[in-house]
Amino acid sequence: MNQERLVLVVAASGDLQDLILSAVAAQQLHGQVAVSAAQAAAGWDQAETIFIAEDFAEELASRALPRRERVYLVGADETRLATWSTPLGAKVIVLPDGVAWLGAVLDEGSDKAGAPVVALLGGSGGVGASTFAAALALSAAKKGRRAALVDVDPLGGGIDLLLGVERAEGWRWPSLRTAEGYIGDIREYLPHIEGVAVVSMARESPADLAKEPLAAIVQAMRRTHDLVVLDAGRSLSGASREAVRLATKRLLLVAATVRGIAAADQVIRAYGGPVEVVVRRPAGASADSGTVKDLLGFPVVAALPEDKTLAMAAERGELAWMSARRSYLRACAALVAKAA
Ligand SMILES: Nc1ncnc2c1ncn2[C@@H]1O[C@H](COP(=O)(O)OP(=O)(O)OP(=O)(O)O)[C@@H](O)[C@H]1O
Ligand SMILES: [Mg+2]
């Protein structure tokens, strides 16, 4: 039993309390039950994760407890959960569908959670986020690290196409989207390119990737790789938001133009911070890194050079990374080193 990883379960005795406690026990974590708002408030700071049954939502919200991470509101009434999620600063787990996610949420905090997860968000459309996500994974693999690239953009056309592995055999999201709970080692079933395992969207079927399978697959990839890169896209879908939530590092690629910065600001508002900013300065860009930092309020951790060869290689169906300029590759390698 892991005594340090305390899970506070705010629920009266009954089915919901049993269900949460059994998920806690399955992960060998230590569950502490609170059956009143006062007890919940007393354990609020110590717990690593807090689950609140919907019946306690209103009473706890009225206590205006300090904001914190890893608070989950659990129940069957979606409208009621949505009402109280904001005042409590809590994510919502709607039962019965969310049971698997509940397990995944507990699993991700575990000692063996594994590799760092880098999520890439595009500050504006076509800024190069997918190319950069792929380049980070490829750069890690070149250094001998087991890297995985997971496509979370349902409207991106499939990241396998960007990598030139669209004809490669292997599983894509349609085969994986019923995944839930604990997933074992799936590496041998995935397409690989230059040592990178790829989970791609498929072009033939409309993608309706939910957050639960994404959480389950990302957890599985973290256990079997040294770095997991998520191309989060900008769709604001549940899966895209979940990608940002799962990430241990959130990179926002921003074009240093007036519109690029304005769009990036909206992406930050929509997804929430914190993010680390990577700046790209396309022709005509008027802002420098300092201005981008000041306007967005988040640190700039890298500048990505312009590289026309990327677009040309991608259009020819080649792996653009192979012909990328050295300055672009250096920027990727430096970020991979920091992500470890
Ligand atoms: N550093 C760069 N310099 C020049 N061109 C680039 C650079 N990075 C990416 N590109 C090119 O920009 C185009 C868009 O790239 P990409 O698809 O990676 O962007 P994105 O932000 O993922 O777009 P979307 O909004 O569609 O998801 C591609 O043609 C790509 O080759
Ligand atoms: Mg993209």
Side-chain angles (χ1 to χ4, degrees):
M1 187 76 64
N2 193 334
Q3 296 288 344
E4 281 165 20
R5 298 194 49 221
L6 184 68
V7 181
L8 182 64
V9 181
V10 190
S13 58
D15 290 348
L16 183 52
Q17 190 199 81
D18 292 349
L19 182 125
I20 300 172
L21 285 176
S22 63
V24 171
Q27 306 273 346
Q28 306 226 308
L29 299 174
H30 180 59
Q32 180 185 310
V33 174
V35 291
S36 70
Q39 282 176 4
W44 191 258
D45 293 334
Q46 286 85 41
E48 181 196 69
T49 308
I50 302 177
F51 292 112
I52 303 168
E54 59 188 349
D55 290 345
F56 283 95
E58 185 171 357
E59 201 183 340
L60 271 183
S62 70
R63 289 193 164 233
L65 293 161
R67 292 256 150 181
R68 49 156 293 162
E69 292 282 300
R70 298 187 64 81
V71 179
Y72 299 88
L73 199 48
V74 191
D77 184 343
E78 200 167 350
T79 319
R80 191 173 169 204
L81 295 175
T83 307
W84 296 112
S85 93
T86 310
L88 284 166
K91 302 252 170 8
V92 163
I93 300 182
V94 188
L95 299 175
D97 294 355
V99 172
W101 194 48
L102 203 148
V105 158
L106 287 169
D107 185 28
E108 75 200 14
S110 79
D111 298 342
K112 48 189 189 325
V117 181
V118 178
L120 250 299
L121 277 166
S124 48
V127 71
S130 298
T131 305
F132 187 42
L136 287 178
L138 288 158
S139 177
K142 196 176 174 210
K143 284 261 179 286
R145 295 169 67 184
R146 295 168 304 167
L149 177 63
V150 181
D151 184 4
V152 194
D153 187 357
L155 305 175
I159 209 156
D160 55 351
L161 195 57
L162 176 78
L163 294 162
V165 285
E166 69 276 12
R167 290 201 184 85
E169 297 271 314
W171 290 357
R172 286 165 175 74
W173 271 121
S175 325
L176 295 165
R177 67 172 168 229
T178 53
E180 48 182 51
Y182 185 93
I183 312 285
D185 187 352
I186 56 167
R187 276 176 298 177
E188 65 176 297
Y189 305 109
L190 298 174
H192 280 75
I193 172 98
E194 299 289 321
V196 174
V198 182
V199 178
S200 180
M201 292 288 171
R203 276 161 296 285
E204 56 275 12
S205 58
D208 58 347
L209 177 60
K211 63 178 189 293
E212 292 82 4
L214 178 70
I217 293 298
V218 168
Q219 280 316 119
M221 304 302 261
R222 291 185 75 182
R223 282 190 289 267
T224 49
H225 292 82
D226 303 315
L227 179 71
V228 180
V229 182
L230 310 178
D231 181 11
R234 310 166 61 243
S235 68
L236 284 178
S237 66
S240 176
R241 288 179 186 277
E242 176 70 356
V244 173
R245 193 191 70 80
L246 289 168
T248 55
K249 190 189 243 326
R250 302 169 185 93
L251 295 178
L252 178 70
L253 184 51
V254 178
T257 60
V258 174
R259 292 195 64 208
I261 296 169
D265 189 46
Q266 285 178 320
V267 172
I268 293 172
R269 285 172 204 276
Y271 280 89
V275 294
E276 292 174 44
V277 176
V278 178
V279 170
R280 207 187 126 184
R281 302 193 76 242
S286 56
D288 59 18
S289 294
T291 313
V292 174
K293 174 183 171 285
D294 292 344
L295 290 174
L296 296 179
F298 287 104
V300 174
V301 293
L304 205 55
E306 288 305 290
D307 188 348
K308 285 203 180 68
T309 62
L310 289 174
M312 290 186 293
E315 207 45 38
R316 284 196 300 267
E318 293 165 9
L319 182 59
W321 188 75
M322 289 286 193
S323 46
R325 280 174 47 191
R326 287 177 65 177
S327 53
Y328 186 91
L329 297 178
R330 267 201 305 273
C332 295
L335 271 171
V336 166
K338 278 194 218 158

